[in-house]
Amino acid sequence: MGRKRIFVIHKHDASQLHYDFRLRIGDVLASWAVPKGLSTEANDKRLAIRVEDHPLDYADFEGVIPEGEYGAGTVMVWDQGTYAPILDEDEKSMEDAREGGSLKFELHGKKLKGGFAMARTGKRDGKEQWVIFKLDDEHADARRKPTSTEPNSVKTGRSLEEIEAEEGKDA
Ligand code: MN
């Protein structure tokens, strides 16, 4: 996978439908569960709960995680692409920025484009709570609501139901 800075947003129909926002930082996918998914409206903050880092090759995964396994349910590649870090003067790297609780980057996805920011707001039940929101730029759009109007996979065009029907047989 080289040194490419990739990101992926998995739509994950587990016990509760949510989105997993994953950003390559170092050699892993730093990951956050975003219950409502990302908004394209500037400053529309969405809760993002930090979860386990995932291996890089998970970025391409779409399918069904069997019952009894961690994350059981249907997983869709809702968006993916590359990103460019936006670092403050006192931040040397994305690792640094994440430790400091503040991340900024420009997404080059199929659905999501332009600047986004994340900020750590605290801890709850041992998990870091962050918010993620769109920065105000030419890609900000309050009317678009991509989680509703663009629900399907950017990898295969499939809906969650189609993924489950086609890949869930052995699950
Ligand atoms: Mn998940």
Side-chain angles (χ1 to χ4, degrees):
M1 218 165 276
R3 299 300 306 169
K4 240 163 106 182
R5 294 181 188 275
I6 56 167
F7 86 94
V8 60
I9 300 172
H10 282 124
K11 185 173 175 178
H12 187 185
D13 190 12
S15 47
Q16 242 171 357
L17 181 72
H18 61 276
Y19 295 78
D20 291 298
F21 180 71
R22 309 187 195 279
L23 203 56
R24 179 182 184 171
I25 297 182
D27 280 321
V28 294
L29 295 170
S31 299
W32 291 262
V34 184
K36 292 183 173 172
L38 279 71
S39 171
T40 52
E41 178 177 357
N43 301 311
D44 182 14
K45 295 183 173 63
R46 299 289 167 89
L47 172 66
I49 300 152
R50 187 157 170 206
V51 295
E52 294 78 2
D53 292 344
H54 276 57
L56 284 182
D57 60 10
Y58 192 65
D60 221 30
F61 176 76
E62 183 169 277
V64 175
I65 301 174
E67 282 304 320
E69 285 184 27
Y70 174 76
T74 307
V75 177
M76 171 201 289
V77 177
W78 184 79
D79 197 13
Q80 69 181 171
T82 60
Y83 77 93
I86 303 173
L87 296 173
D88 289 340
E89 279 165 39
D90 59 337
E91 296 163 346
K92 291 187 185 70
S93 65
M94 286 292 278
E95 283 93 336
D96 248 21
R98 181 179 58 181
E99 289 318 305
S102 159
L103 289 166
K104 249 188 263 175
F105 41 83
E106 193 168 299
L107 295 182
H108 307 285
K110 295 198 170 109
K111 291 175 182 166
L112 300 185
K113 296 177 195 299
F116 282 81
M118 300 184 74
R120 189 168 54 213
T121 57
K123 239 184 187 189
R124 201 172 155 187
D125 303 327
K127 289 179 173 167
E128 287 183 19
Q129 305 239 321
W130 293 60
V131 290
I132 185 165
F133 57 97
K134 182 80 196 74
L135 296 172
D136 196 1
D137 59 21
E138 71 273 26
H139 297 288
D141 185 343
R143 289 159 308 166
R144 201 172 134 215
K145 309 208 182 306
T147 50
S148 309
T149 58
E150 297 160 69
N152 291 348
S153 168
V154 295
K155 186 180 173 187
T156 60
R158 294 181 295 180
S159 66
L160 277 173
E161 293 70 23
E162 287 166 332
I163 294 166
E164 193 186 348
E166 289 168 20
E167 312 216 21
K169 299 171 203 84
D170 307 324

